[in-house]
Amino acid sequence: MKTFLITSFLVAASFGVFAQGEISYHGKKITDNGAIPATQLATKMGDKTEIPAKVEGTVESVCKVKGCWMNVKTGDGQTMRVTFKDYGFFVPKDIVGKTVVVEGTAETTTTPVADLRHFAKDAGKSQEEIEKITEPEKALTFVADGVIVKR
């Protein structure tokens, strides 16, 4: 009976470990209630330059240095750079292809060449690729207060 109880406990504990591995929270603890697909964010923004939002999408890339930003697919081959409020938290570096929910502020911004080159270096791009960046980029960006990483 003692062996059965110990085995049951170990099996139950292992299920808890696997369940925790499926979802992780970073920054402010948020829920996925009310999240819109990343593909709909540009339409929701309309002509505004900034709106509060909760968005769900798929991670395309992550900062390889320390997880200090990620790019989320927005459709039509486009991505949205997600940074984290006040550089206050990071995400795991191995979440490419995973679904995330981000809550915070969506913005239309112009990213200077120096920042674009810094991001390219963080992403592991070659020096040749980095030097090809010569124009600022106007794009949809997101500053997250909290992130949920799923599956």
Side-chain angles (χ1 to χ4, degrees):
M1 184 66 162
K2 186 176 180 181
T3 304
F4 175 75
L5 289 175
I6 291 171
T7 303
S8 297
F9 174 75
L10 291 174
V11 168
S14 69
F15 282 126
V17 169
F18 287 121
Q20 290 174 359
E22 289 185 27
I23 295 179
S24 61
Y25 298 88
H26 307 275
K28 174 179 144 186
K29 188 144 184 186
I30 63 171
T31 69
D32 59 0
N33 296 341
I36 64 166
T39 55
Q40 295 176 8
L41 183 58
T43 302
K44 182 175 180 176
M45 284 197 66
D47 60 353
K48 298 177 184 101
T49 58
E50 181 177 302
I51 64 167
K54 188 184 291 188
V55 178
E56 183 170 12
T58 303
V59 177
E60 181 192 70
S61 59
V62 178
C63 171
K64 298 297 182 200
V65 176
K66 57 184 159 184
C68 55
W69 54 262
M70 65 182 163
N71 286 328
V72 174
K73 295 177 184 178
T74 57
D76 294 335
Q78 300 295 309
T79 61
M80 167 180 67
R81 180 166 313 279
V82 178
T83 57
F84 311 112
K85 187 174 182 181
D86 299 328
Y87 210 58
F89 62 96
F90 306 115
V91 294
K93 296 182 278 184
D94 63 349
I95 61 170
V96 172
K98 296 199 179 199
T99 300
V100 294
V101 175
V102 295
E103 183 175 339
T105 305
E107 305 172 326
T108 301
T109 59
T110 300
T111 306
V113 170
D115 289 351
L116 293 171
R117 287 182 172 186
H118 175 83
F119 294 145
K121 183 177 179 183
D122 283 353
K125 303 283 184 182
S126 70
Q127 188 61 36
E128 182 180 340
E129 290 173 294
I130 293 168
E131 289 174 2
K132 287 181 181 178
I133 301 170
T134 59
E135 297 290 324
E137 176 183 86
K138 184 175 180 179
L140 185 59
T141 60
F142 200 96
V143 178
D145 298 320
V147 176
I148 300 171
V149 178
K150 299 179 174 184
R151 310 187 265 310

